[in-house]
Amino acid sequence: MPKRFKLQDYSTDYQQQTNQLCVLVTGDVIYYKILKLIYKSRCKSLFKDKNNNYDWGAYIDNEEGIQQEIESLLHMLQYAVCIADSLMQSFALDYYYQPYWDNDEGGRTVAGELVNKAKYDRPYTGLHQKALNDLCEYMEHFIQKHKLYKQADLIVSMPYFGHKEFDLPSYLAEELSRRFEITNASHLVKKTKATQPQKSLNTIDEKTENMQNVFKLDSPEVFEDKAVIIIDDVYRSGITIQTLAQEIVNAGGKCLGLVGAKTIRG
């Protein structure tokens, strides 16, 4: 089961003598790896906060606008769920339900409520369309703040088998493709057979077996050397999105996962 994280706190401070930005974070070091992927050689070595107010820190070579850019990213990551799976990066906008340690009532988060309405309300009604618009804007905000996602080459939705009156991941991928002018390659990703719903299966072995030989890429050369955003509505065990991502990786691509909400349990 992939581990998941939330960034707790952060601060930034411009160091004039060295022309560097000092970034201090309370949260797992996976967030340092995120900064390193974005800022590459400009992101310097990890260090321990000598005042013990934060878990770790890093220096980043300064340039105009970078402090505001990093603060906007880290602020957003306080709400998103970072998921340590096999993809280059995976995020959910939030948990589906409030974790019990945050809210004893366990009600849905804003993201969870939007996904629930967009997925299950009667399609093409006013309330359904509002939930779709709000969810798209939520994902748009995430992509806008995260440079790796904004600079992606392709976007695909989690494919389905058979016919659906309405498919939420397909809608989201098409709309985000239009808003960011990222090529939508969803038509090249196929689900080749029907499977049992993953949430109906109890063990990781059952879920993994259920996804064996399920996905196929038409024209796999299209994905070579491309950064690909995979869009889905709900992240449970992560086996489905990781199985699809492996097909894209086998074709030479790199995968970024973005889903509406993460369940507390797999």
Side-chain angles (χ1 to χ4, degrees):
M1 187 76 64
K3 292 183 178 180
R4 70 267 187 172
F5 306 94
K6 273 201 170 185
L7 189 149
Q8 300 301 312
D9 196 12
Y10 68 90
S11 71
T12 65
D13 181 51
Y14 173 61
Q15 309 285 304
Q16 188 170 7
Q17 284 186 326
T18 59
N19 193 32
Q20 290 180 318
L21 189 66
C22 177
V23 179
L24 295 168
V25 170
T26 299
D28 193 85
V29 293
I30 195 169
Y31 293 101
Y32 170 74
K33 296 175 183 177
I34 291 169
L35 292 175
K36 190 73 174 174
L37 279 170
I38 295 172
Y39 297 104
K40 300 182 172 62
S41 62
R42 290 168 52 210
C43 185
K44 306 307 180 184
S45 299
L46 196 69
F47 66 83
K48 183 174 177 58
D49 176 26
K50 62 183 179 181
N51 296 319
N52 293 320
N53 294 323
Y54 298 88
D55 292 335
W56 56 267
Y59 288 105
I60 299 177
D61 291 340
N62 188 53
E63 68 175 21
E64 185 177 356
I66 195 172
Q67 185 168 8
Q68 182 179 358
E69 178 181 290
I70 290 175
E71 287 178 349
S72 294
L73 171 66
L74 295 178
H75 177 73
M76 179 189 68
L77 294 182
Q78 287 184 295
Y79 298 91
V81 181
C82 180
I83 306 165
D85 58 14
S86 62
L87 282 69
M88 184 165 68
Q89 288 190 33
S90 276
F91 284 94
L93 298 178
D94 203 341
Y95 286 111
Y96 201 98
Y97 288 97
Q98 292 283 357
Y100 67 87
W101 54 85
D102 286 344
N103 184 338
D104 290 338
E105 296 179 359
R108 292 191 191 99
T109 63
V110 172
E113 188 65 28
L114 288 175
V115 169
N116 187 71
K117 288 182 179 297
K119 189 176 176 73
Y120 297 115
D121 277 9
R122 188 160 60 89
Y124 313 116
T125 61
L127 290 175
H128 182 250
Q129 191 60 51
K130 184 179 187 310
L132 288 176
N133 291 340
D134 289 348
L135 186 56
C136 278
E137 287 183 5
Y138 206 150
M139 285 191 163
E140 179 183 11
H141 176 75
F142 180 93
I143 294 172
Q144 189 71 41
K145 300 296 183 183
H146 197 312
K147 289 178 73 172
L148 289 184
Y149 284 75
K150 190 176 181 181
Q151 295 169 356
D153 304 294
L154 303 172
I155 190 167
V156 300
S157 58
M158 184 60 63
Y160 59 90
F161 183 81
H163 171 75
K164 282 188 176 182
E165 180 183 4
F166 175 79
D167 180 63
L168 179 55
S170 299
Y171 178 93
L172 294 171
E174 181 63 31
E175 185 63 21
L176 293 169
S177 167
R178 183 186 65 80
R179 295 186 186 194
F180 287 98
E181 298 183 346
I182 301 173
T183 301
N184 187 355
S186 298
H187 63 290
L188 299 177
V189 180
K190 302 294 174 59
K191 187 175 183 182
T192 59
K193 60 183 179 181
T195 56
Q196 297 182 60
Q198 289 287 78
K199 64 182 179 181
S200 70
L201 303 175
N202 296 319
T203 69
I204 294 297
D205 287 345
E206 289 174 337
K207 294 173 188 284
T208 302
E209 179 64 27
N210 194 42
M211 287 292 113
Q212 288 295 312
N213 303 314
V214 165
F215 298 119
K216 176 186 176 184
L217 303 182
D218 290 344
S219 304
E221 67 277 3
V222 171
F223 297 88
E224 187 174 358
D225 296 325
K226 297 294 193 296
V228 184
I229 302 174
I230 301 176
I231 298 291
D232 205 357
D233 44 23
V234 179
Y235 194 114
R236 292 185 174 88
S237 68
I239 290 170
T240 303
I241 194 170
Q242 291 181 93
T243 303
L244 174 58
Q246 189 59 54
E247 292 294 324
I248 295 172
V249 169
N250 290 345
K254 297 178 181 179
C255 294
L256 303 162
L258 181 58
V259 301
K262 171 72 180 80
T263 58
I264 300 296
R265 298 180 179 85

